[in-house]
Amino acid sequence: MGRPVTFDPIAGLRRRLDTEPDADVLISATSSLTVSELWDSAARCAALLATEGIGPGAVVGVELPPLLQPVFAVALWMRGAIGAIAPVGRGEELGDVLDVMVGRARREGFPAERFMQVDDAWLMRSAELDPTVEPFQWADNDIARVVFSSGTTGAPKPIAFTVADLEERVNRGREFWMPTGPFLTILGIGAVSGSATFFAALEGGIPYLVGGTSAENVAVLAKTGVPLVHGSPIQLSDLLSAAGRTDADLPGLRIVQSVGGVLSEELAARLVRRFGAEIEIIYGSTEVGGVTLRRGAPIAPGDVGAILPFATIEAVGAEGEPVADGEEGLIRVRRPRQARGSFRGMLDDATFRDGWFFPGDVGRIADGHLIVVGRRDELINAAGIKVDPERVERVALRFPGVGDAVAVGVEDARGVSVVALAVVADSAVDLAELRAALVRELGDAAPRVLERIAVVPRTVSGKARRLEVAADLRARLGRAIEF
């Protein structure tokens, strides 16, 4: 048994029922929910979940529209169930992790008997139930949330967070990168920083801004005038494009935080020109959270910021020995309350060793900053999304008319690192239809650049010459099809 929790965001929400029931607690581009509306909706959903047998310890994957995701996060917390946002992928991959999935439609391959359809009829049934609920009493070592990370394998990896883990992430976020008031986390509650932002907002009594499409993100920033937006490089690039289409200036925006990938200096400059905001860079992962923070100009190419005081980051040599500052090596990270492995033993690998997490990056330490110079392997870091190129290729090869395929990482015309796919395909293959099929299965990991080639260059052993393909695609950018 763990100690009773000192961190209970739902208790904070409950206290506000008496003091400010009509205060906005969830704000999206087109709607909002007050404290009393969120509590009532979540409590009724929790009551209906109880009739379906969802209770303490059940792992529930949620695949619902953005505004319903936080409602269900509160409902599952009330029930003592472990909430997760279901990642894009085949249903079979999630069956060993999730006990139940709730959504509008069942994911192909996920067991039908463990799927709960949450449609308008389900929500109407929940509205008829008594909203009186006594929330579950959590202990600090209870697992409360599962977040799927792309890890270093490119496939979704479930990472468990106890209540104490969430408390640590919230406290360090408040100390180093979260403002005191509301802000927009584009990543959403499916990411660890999004979950931390949501629970911090509930506990701290401030509104949580619900992200959506890039146009909706611009709209909610304009609507609220908040000073900070937090997202991956590709999300920030899409935000920039949407702001240009709507001619939105967003004068309240003062800080743009980039997380999850390398923000190119070109894209950073464009963000500054458009919004007049300061750029902040955070380096980290789901497993360890944000462990560096850069404000201002880089001290060297690849500078991702000063190492934060609670974290230890080292570069190590081939035998695992720490190398001297300034020397390149494989990066390893350690911090309080970090993940020690993936949930339910799924996909554990050499990334967790001897109390350290190995993100797969190569770099060096210089003047207290982490300088990232590359990747240990062929895994593509597409603006913070770790993508296994072979997984992309396998999906593409299932598409009728595609005979061969190779996926690589390139910088597109915006200066953003993206996945590019070169295919050997019949003339009848429509690349837009191919990409739509890839998005359905791969989500944000789907390639944004597609090009036809006559043949995939390969070694004698049959391995694709990825560097050669990447160079060719970079030369073709502007003529290749970009999405």
Side-chain angles (χ1 to χ4, degrees):
M1 292 290 293
R3 63 176 174 84
V5 296
T6 56
F7 175 73
D8 189 348
I10 307 306
L13 182 66
R14 191 176 201 176
R15 287 191 297 270
R16 296 177 68 195
L17 282 173
D18 297 324
T19 60
E20 47 181 352
D22 296 326
D24 285 338
V25 66
L26 297 180
I27 301 176
S28 74
T30 57
S31 60
S32 62
L33 288 181
T34 65
V35 169
S36 60
E37 288 170 337
L38 174 57
W39 182 272
D40 184 80
S41 298
R44 293 178 190 275
C45 287
L48 188 48
L49 289 170
T51 68
E52 302 281 358
I54 305 299
V59 184
V60 182
V62 176
E63 190 173 40
L64 290 169
L67 194 62
L68 278 178
Q69 292 176 11
V71 173
F72 268 74
V74 174
L76 293 170
W77 189 285
M78 289 174 169
R79 291 294 304 144
I82 302 168
I85 299 299
V88 171
R90 299 178 69 83
E92 297 93 329
E93 298 173 344
L94 301 175
D96 292 332
V97 179
L98 304 177
D99 298 320
V100 177
M101 187 184 294
V102 301
R104 297 296 198 187
R106 183 174 67 88
R107 183 86 60 85
E108 181 181 356
F110 192 84
E113 66 276 12
R114 289 156 51 193
F115 173 74
M116 185 184 304
Q117 186 175 29
V118 176
D119 53 14
D120 291 343
W122 193 97
L123 294 172
M124 290 178 63
R125 285 170 53 207
S126 73
E128 297 170 354
L129 299 179
D130 183 356
T132 304
V133 62
E134 189 60 37
F136 178 76
Q137 296 300 304
W138 293 86
D140 64 348
N141 61 357
D142 289 336
I143 295 175
R145 195 93 187 141
V146 169
V147 176
F148 285 85
S149 165
S150 59
T152 60
T153 64
K157 177 190 291 186
I159 304 296
F161 289 85
T162 66
V163 175
D165 295 336
L166 291 172
E167 181 179 24
E168 164 71 13
R169 298 296 177 92
V170 167
N171 288 342
R172 297 293 80 77
R174 285 171 170 162
E175 186 176 358
F176 292 102
W177 62 267
M178 290 183 186
T180 55
F183 64 102
L184 175 61
T185 304
I186 302 177
L187 293 167
I189 63 173
V192 65
S193 62
S195 290
T197 301
F198 174 60
F199 289 125
L202 290 186
E203 189 194 43
I206 61 175
Y208 173 76
L209 273 55
V210 180
T213 65
S214 56
E216 289 169 339
N217 293 333
V218 170
V220 77
L221 287 169
K223 175 181 179 179
T224 60
V226 296
L228 187 148
V229 63
H230 174 101
S232 71
I234 193 69
Q235 290 171 331
L236 297 177
S237 178
D238 289 344
L239 181 78
L240 188 66
S241 298
R245 290 192 297 270
T246 58
D247 201 28
D249 290 330
L250 307 179
L253 188 60
R254 297 194 299 273
I255 298 174
V256 174
Q257 286 181 346
S258 176
V259 295
V262 177
L263 182 73
S264 71
E265 296 304 319
E266 187 273 339
L267 177 55
R270 290 173 56 216
L271 288 164
V272 171
R273 286 195 301 270
R274 177 71 197 189
F275 300 125
E278 297 180 8
I279 304 297
E280 295 183 351
I281 308 294
I282 298 173
Y283 172 89
S285 67
T286 300
E287 293 82 355
V288 296
V291 290
T292 76
L293 176 61
R294 193 189 98 197
R295 295 186 171 109
I299 65 172
D303 176 19
V304 293
I307 299 170
L308 295 175
F310 59 84
T312 302
I313 302 179
E314 295 179 346
V316 299
E319 302 300 321
E321 75 288 358
V323 300
D325 283 4
E327 295 185 16
E328 291 184 6
L330 186 64
I331 298 302
R332 67 182 183 184
V333 183
R334 184 170 60 195
R335 67 163 291 171
R337 309 299 314 188
Q338 72 180 35
R340 300 291 177 177
S342 57
F343 182 59
R344 292 182 169 173
M346 298 296 295
L347 302 173
D348 275 342
D349 52 31
T351 58
F352 300 101
R353 299 201 300 270
D354 302 322
W356 293 90
F357 173 68
F358 289 76
D361 290 318
V362 175
R364 65 183 186 276
I365 311 300
D367 297 327
H369 284 228
L370 172 60
I371 312 297
V372 176
V373 299
R375 294 288 301 172
R376 175 184 58 183
D377 48 32
E378 292 182 333
L379 196 73
I380 301 168
N381 188 342
I385 301 170
K386 310 299 193 305
V387 181
D388 178 357
E390 293 185 356
R391 185 175 182 229
V392 176
E393 292 155 10
R394 286 196 297 271
V395 176
L397 289 170
R398 292 204 297 266
F399 192 86
V402 175
D404 204 355
V406 58
V408 295
V410 299
E411 278 197 359
D412 68 7
R414 303 166 297 173
V416 175
S417 175
V418 297
V419 179
L421 181 69
V423 295
V424 179
D426 296 340
S427 59
V429 172
D430 185 300
L431 293 186
E433 293 179 359
L434 170 58
R435 188 183 187 259
L438 293 166
V439 168
R440 284 194 295 272
E441 186 151 341
L442 300 171
D444 289 342
R448 287 199 169 219
V449 175
L450 271 71
E451 175 70 308
R452 295 177 187 271
I453 57 176
V455 63
V456 173
R458 295 184 179 276
T459 65
V460 175
S461 62
K463 291 185 178 180
R465 298 183 184 272
R466 298 187 188 278
L467 292 178
E468 184 178 327
V469 173
D472 182 42
L473 289 181
R474 279 193 294 270
R476 297 188 191 201
L477 280 176
R479 289 182 288 130
I481 297 180
E482 299 182 50
F483 297 87

